[in-house]
Amino acid sequence: MKAVVLEAFGGPENLKVREVPAPEPREGEILVKVRAAGVCHHDVLHRAGKLPGAKAGVILGHETAGEVVKLGPNVSTHGVGDHVVVYQRRFCGVCRHCLRGRQDMCRALGVPGVDTEGGYVEYVAVPAKMGIPVPASVDWRAAALASCPIATSLRALRGVGGMNPGDTVLVTGASGGLGVHQLQLVRALGGRSIAVTSDAKKADFLKSHGAHEVVVAKDGAFGKEVWRLTEKRGVDIALENVGPLLPESVRALAAGGIAVVLGNIGGDAVPISPGMLIGRRLRVQGSGQAPVDEVRQAVAMIAAGLVKPVISAAVGFAEAPRAHRMLEERAVEGRVVLEGW
Ligand SMILES: [Zn+2]
Ligand SMILES: [Zn+2]
């Protein structure tokens, strides 16, 4: 079968189409014919050699949707022809994290594309419990984004942020793959969003994807404008998708608010005032991939039309280098998806 293999760390040209042995589903596994795979910034970091612990010589991709084409022995939960989105992590199902529904924290078995085979490929064999059902009414491209970035966004907003109807939510890096979906989720869940972007040209795009307010801040200084828009109250939740903007996001919080950190662009440490955290009873918490149940919720919201996956381009799997370039040059709003060879 064909696969896009990361032959060495470096530029997009290191992603090569290669012939590799097709997997056979073992006990408890399903064989999934990959129909669409999202291209994530995580993949770009991995390819460039900027992901600690990641290896070259692997198949990238953790945003994988496809069709079950074969069952391994003793699989009773799935049938041939089922549509699934593949969960982003191999999890054991029996450790303390798995047993309390936090499969995202299971350390047993690893992450597709990093520790195990990824989704830039024709077929993947995965444990059946990783195949989260998707209704046939959801198209493949949309299904590919159900786990990351949409469930990741839902996790940050509700699972970690504890969003309630009526909350005001700040979204930094709002035109990126996470941000554009967070804006829709805030609206769907009855909140008010304030989108932050560094690019004035993206304001209309953000409004059309659900932003109630847009703040253009080239220099990352958006706190004052957020203060004005909230009548000096601040926001209940700040979704910090960028990283370096965290101090400004924390300053924009209302008393009792929470900054949820999803981005770490640049990877540098940032200063935060302990006095401000104490005085205003603020919380800062990191967030990552969603547990299985929240991926199901994200699929349900997509199927109900409450969130529409924002896909700016779909290219063939063999054009993965071009997809990576588009992401790196920030030439895209929303996601790029690989589909067809
Ligand atoms: Zn991703
Ligand atoms: Zn586990």
Side-chain angles (χ1 to χ4, degrees), residues 119-278:
Y120 295 9
V121 68
E122 283 189 283
Y123 296 93
V124 287
V126 295
K129 60 183 185 277
M130 283 174 70
I132 297 169
V134 176
S137 59
V138 174
D139 68 40
W140 295 116
R141 297 175 189 184
L145 305 194
S147 184
C148 174
I150 296 175
T152 302
S153 293
L154 187 63
R155 171 79 201 148
L157 190 58
R158 274 221 322 189
V160 176
M163 187 199 152
N164 285 310
D167 282 352
T168 300
V169 181
L170 181 78
V171 177
T172 66
S175 63
L178 289 168
V180 287
H181 296 107
Q182 291 160 356
L183 297 174
Q184 295 184 53
L185 289 168
V186 171
R187 191 173 275 267
L189 297 169
R192 174 190 182 217
S193 65
I194 301 177
V196 175
T197 178
S198 57
D199 185 351
K201 292 197 292 290
K202 294 199 166 146
D204 288 342
F205 169 81
L206 294 171
K207 285 252 164 91
S208 72
H209 285 91
H212 291 87
E213 311 280 356
V214 177
V215 177
V216 179
K218 281 197 176 62
D219 52 0
F222 50 81
K224 213 171 156 188
E225 181 61 6
V226 170
W227 220 237
R228 188 187 69 78
L229 288 168
T230 56
E231 280 141 7
K232 297 187 178 168
R233 191 182 154 272
V235 298
D236 301 293
I237 300 166
L239 299 180
E240 177 47 56
N241 296 309
V242 184
L245 300 179
L246 180 59
E248 191 74 355
S249 285
V250 170
R251 274 193 288 275
L253 290 174
I258 179 168
V260 184
V261 184
L262 294 125
N264 184 26
I265 294 172
D268 294 326
V270 295
I272 297 207
S273 154
M276 190 188 294
L277 299 184
I278 297 165

Side-chain angles (χ1 to χ4, degrees), residues 316-332:
F317 278 86
E319 291 186 272
R322 183 157 78 91
H324 273 233
R325 253 176 235 118
M326 289 164 81
L327 232 71
E328 273 179 319
E329 290 161 6
R330 303 196 174 273
V332 291

Side-chain angles (χ1 to χ4, degrees), residues 34-40 43 61-66 83-88 119-120 132 134-135 138-152 181 295 298-299 302 309-311 314 317 335-339:
V34 177
R35 295 300 205 99
V39 179
C40 186
D43 305 346
H62 58 262
E63 303 181 0
T64 313
H83 294 200
V84 294
V85 55
V86 178
Y87 189 63
Q88 280 171 260
Y120 295 9
I132 297 169
V134 176
V138 174
D139 68 40
W140 295 116
R141 297 175 189 184
L145 305 194
S147 184
C148 174
I150 296 175
T152 302
H181 296 107
V295 179
V299 168
I302 295 168
V310 181
I311 295 158
F317 278 86
R335 267 286 193 271
V336 181
V337 172
L338 305 176
E339 192 178 36

